[in-house]
Structure formats: structure tokens, C-alpha cells
Amino acid sequence: MSNNQVALSPAKTLSDFMDKYKGQIALALPKHISADRMVRLAMTSFSQNRALQDCDMHSIFASVVIAAQLGLEIGVGGQGYLVPYKGKATFVPGWQGLVDLVSRAGRATVWTGAVYEGDQFDWALGDNPFVKHQPQGDGDSWKSITHVYAIGRVNGSQYPVIEVWTMERILRHLKKYNKVGANHYALKDDGANMEMYARKVALLQVLKYMPKSVEVQRAFDVAQVADTGKNFTFDGEVVVVNEDDDQGDQAGQSNAGRSLPTCSDEDFEKKKAEWRKTILSKKRTPKELIAFIKTRELLTEEQEKTIDSWAHEND
């Protein structure tokens, strides 16, 4: 293989791109995950999904940063996935990732299940709620699922919080909130991710009633938006849906290979009050904020100096 062929390899291109910005990933990661590991997981997911290889590199990088901010590993134990949406990658938390975050917080326990045709299943709500599920062997398709359920129990509580949905209700929910049609990740590959999606829908209902750490709340918000199929940005605190993305998709405009825009002076003026507040409240250092902004748009040298100066206002 020639050097030119190596340079044109999608995997090589992404690997070089990720190595260049690995330091920005490291800034977002919790201590128990290394930047090298997160990059390896992203590369594994990339190599196993042909559609990801057609996605904009910046959207893949931004998705990895989101996973890092949530403290979830890509493709490990169902914690979360890189999912392609019309030329862009999106990080979608899995139900296992949500369960793990609740467990880490140490204030409650949650779990989910899928009921297949032939399973013994009984449940009730009211003043003595319960779920009894005895699997009789896994079905060979999500189409054999009759119900999904989620159960949450706050530490020290007498009764659990239970949510049980039929698959018919799950499909109605998907139809109502899905904004990308057949491109929704739950419908791709003949519904390969449908069970994961269904169990997560039930789990998200239970999580509304569970005590939530900051990490759980962030993942909850990201999971809800990601399941609509819409693109979004996440600054580690707030999820913002990018409503304008639909217009570009409807016009048939491809985002693959798109370069990041440069933040104009006008846009900087609009955003700097919120960014300055982030620095002064010590939610982020100037270096961390600049690294995050650069996952979405480029900054001029003067703009970076302005952001850096905010940290010294009280000196």
C-alpha cells in the first residue's frame, strides 16, 4: 500500500485527527478513564461501522467529548454508542450507561428488562407494586418482545418505582418523537438497537423519580434529546438542540468533510457573557472552555486572549 493510500484511509485520517486533539478529550474525562483509552474505543467503533466512516470528523470528535463529559465509555458494556445521523455522528447513552451512573451516585438502584413471547411475566402498580419476570429463553428478534420494564428503588425506601410499557406503546413513542425517520438508530440494521432503545425509554421514565447526581442529570438530558434523532451540542452543563440542522438535511446538503466555522466578532459578543460567567463561577478554566468551544467553532487569537483574561479579573 502506498503512502498516499495510507493518507487517504478514513481510519488513518480519524486517528491523526484524534491524536491532534487528544489533550482536549483529556480535559473532559473523569480520572478513571484515560484519553488514550477513549480514543481507542472511538477508533474501534469507527472501524466497525461503515456509516460512521462517512461522518464529519468534527462531529465524531465532538461526540467523543460528550461521552467523556458524561464519564461513559463508547461501546463498553452498552454504556453508550457513536451513532451516524445523515453525515454526522451523535453520542447516544445506552441504558447500561444510565444504570451505571445511578449506581455510581450511590443513592438509588435501577434496572431494566425485556419480556419475550413465552416468558412468565406478571406485574402490578398501586400500593404494593411488583414485577415478576421469569425468562424462558431469549427471542431471536426484537419483534418477539411483548413488554419492557424498568424498576428503581431509592435507598431505604419500602416500595420501588415501576414502569412497564408494551412494545406497541414503545413504537408509538418512537413514531411521535423520531425526527429523522428511517435514519433513527433504533430502526437501522433491521432494528438491531431496538431492545436497547425500548429498555432505555422505560428507564428514562423511572429516572424522573430517582434522586439524580449532576452526572445522571446530564446523561438523562443527553439521552432524551439523542433519542429524537436531532443533532445537539452539550457544554458539560446544558443540552442545546440544533434546530437548524433539519433545514440543511431537507435541502440534501451533506455535512461530511465540513470545516469548523470561525466565531465571528458579532457571535463572540453575543456569547461572551455566558462564557465569562462560566469562567468566573469556576465551572471551567479558560483552557477547558476554549477546548470545548473548538469542538464546534474556531476562535481567533484575540478571542482566546479575552477568554483567558476573565480568569484574572479578581486578582
Side-chain angles (χ1 to χ4, degrees), residues 36-92:
D36 284 336
R37 175 172 173 79
M38 187 62 81
V39 169
R40 285 197 303 272
L41 294 174
M43 291 303 303
T44 298
S45 181
F46 182 81
S47 65
Q48 294 174 345
N49 190 328
R50 180 65 184 82
L52 273 178
Q53 297 170 24
D54 294 329
C55 288
D56 171 28
M57 296 292 178
H58 294 95
S59 72
I60 296 175
F61 171 72
S63 296
V64 174
V65 171
I66 289 173
Q69 290 169 328
L70 296 177
L72 297 177
E73 295 186 317
I74 298 166
V76 176
Q79 291 187 26
Y81 308 86
L82 290 182
V83 179
Y85 281 114
K86 293 187 177 181
K88 288 185 179 180
T90 299
F91 178 74
V92 178

Side-chain angles (χ1 to χ4, degrees), residues 130-182:
F130 71 88
V131 167
K132 293 182 179 179
H133 178 204
Q134 184 174 344
Q136 299 295 313
D138 293 335
D140 56 3
S141 168
W142 69 267
K143 295 177 182 178
S144 300
I145 298 175
T146 62
H147 299 75
V148 290
Y149 61 88
I151 303 170
R153 188 184 293 275
V154 178
N155 292 352
S157 64
Q158 183 176 0
Y159 298 112
V161 175
I162 292 173
E163 193 79 17
V164 178
W165 284 39
T166 64
M167 277 305 293
E168 288 82 1
R169 186 180 179 189
I170 291 291
L171 293 174
R172 289 198 302 270
H173 181 275
L174 175 60
K175 183 178 180 179
K176 180 178 180 180
Y177 293 103
N178 175 16
K179 303 301 182 182
V180 294

Side-chain angles (χ1 to χ4, degrees), residues 32-293:
H32 70 280
I33 308 175
S34 71
D36 284 336
R37 175 172 173 79
M38 187 62 81
V39 169
R40 285 197 303 272
L41 294 174
M43 291 303 303
T44 298
S45 181
F46 182 81
S47 65
Q48 294 174 345
N49 190 328
R50 180 65 184 82
L52 273 178
Q53 297 170 24
D54 294 329
C55 288
D56 171 28
M57 296 292 178
H58 294 95
S59 72
I60 296 175
F61 171 72
S63 296
V64 174
V65 171
I66 289 173
Q69 290 169 328
L70 296 177
L72 297 177
E73 295 186 317
I74 298 166
V76 176
Q79 291 187 26
Y81 308 86
L82 290 182
V83 179
Y85 281 114
K86 293 187 177 181
K88 288 185 179 180
T90 299
F91 178 74
V92 178
W95 67 263
Q96 294 99 323
L98 295 171
V99 168
D100 187 43
L101 288 176
V102 172
S103 177
R104 288 184 212 169
R107 299 164 64 188
T109 303
V110 294
W111 63 99
T112 77
V115 182
Y116 284 84
E117 293 175 355
D119 288 359
Q120 294 182 25
F121 182 63
D122 190 18
W123 63 284
L125 300 179
D127 64 355
N128 190 23
F130 71 88
V131 167
K132 293 182 179 179
H133 178 204
Q134 184 174 344
Q136 299 295 313
D138 293 335
D140 56 3
S141 168
W142 69 267
K143 295 177 182 178
S144 300
I145 298 175
T146 62
H147 299 75
V148 290
Y149 61 88
I151 303 170
R153 188 184 293 275
V154 178
N155 292 352
S157 64
Q158 183 176 0
Y159 298 112
V161 175
I162 292 173
E163 193 79 17
V164 178
W165 284 39
T166 64
M167 277 305 293
E168 288 82 1
R169 186 180 179 189
I170 291 291
L171 293 174
R172 289 198 302 270
H173 181 275
L174 175 60
K175 183 178 180 179
K176 180 178 180 180
Y177 293 103
N178 175 16
K179 303 301 182 182
V180 294
N183 286 302
H184 194 284
Y185 73 90
L187 299 173
K188 303 276 281 187
D189 301 322
D190 196 29
N193 293 312
M194 184 62 78
E195 180 181 336
M196 183 270 285
Y197 170 80
R199 293 174 70 163
K200 185 168 62 172
V201 168
L203 178 60
L204 288 174
Q205 311 313 309
V206 167
L207 287 181
K208 294 176 182 178
Y209 304 98
M210 295 292 105
K212 290 184 280 294
S213 65
V214 172
E215 292 77 14
V216 173
Q217 183 63 59
R218 291 171 180 170
F220 178 86
D221 292 341
V222 169
Q224 285 199 305
V225 175
D227 280 353
T228 67
K230 279 186 168 293
N231 285 295
F232 62 92
T233 54
F234 173 62
D235 67 357
E237 300 290 337
V238 179
V239 176
V240 179
V241 178
N242 300 329
E243 298 288 353
D244 292 339
D245 286 340
D246 286 344
Q247 298 176 5
D249 290 337
Q250 292 168 3
Q253 298 172 356
S254 172
N255 292 301
R258 176 180 58 82
S259 299
L260 287 178
T262 298
C263 183
S264 66
D265 291 338
E266 181 181 0
D267 284 343
F268 187 80
E269 287 299 317
K270 292 178 180 178
K271 299 171 182 176
K272 74 175 186 180
E274 187 64 30
W275 288 343
R276 178 173 174 272
K277 181 180 177 181
T278 299
I279 299 298
L280 294 180
S281 63
K282 299 187 184 300
K283 290 182 178 179
R284 290 179 183 270
T285 66
K287 185 177 180 181
E288 290 171 340
L289 179 60
I290 290 170
F292 169 72
I293 294 171

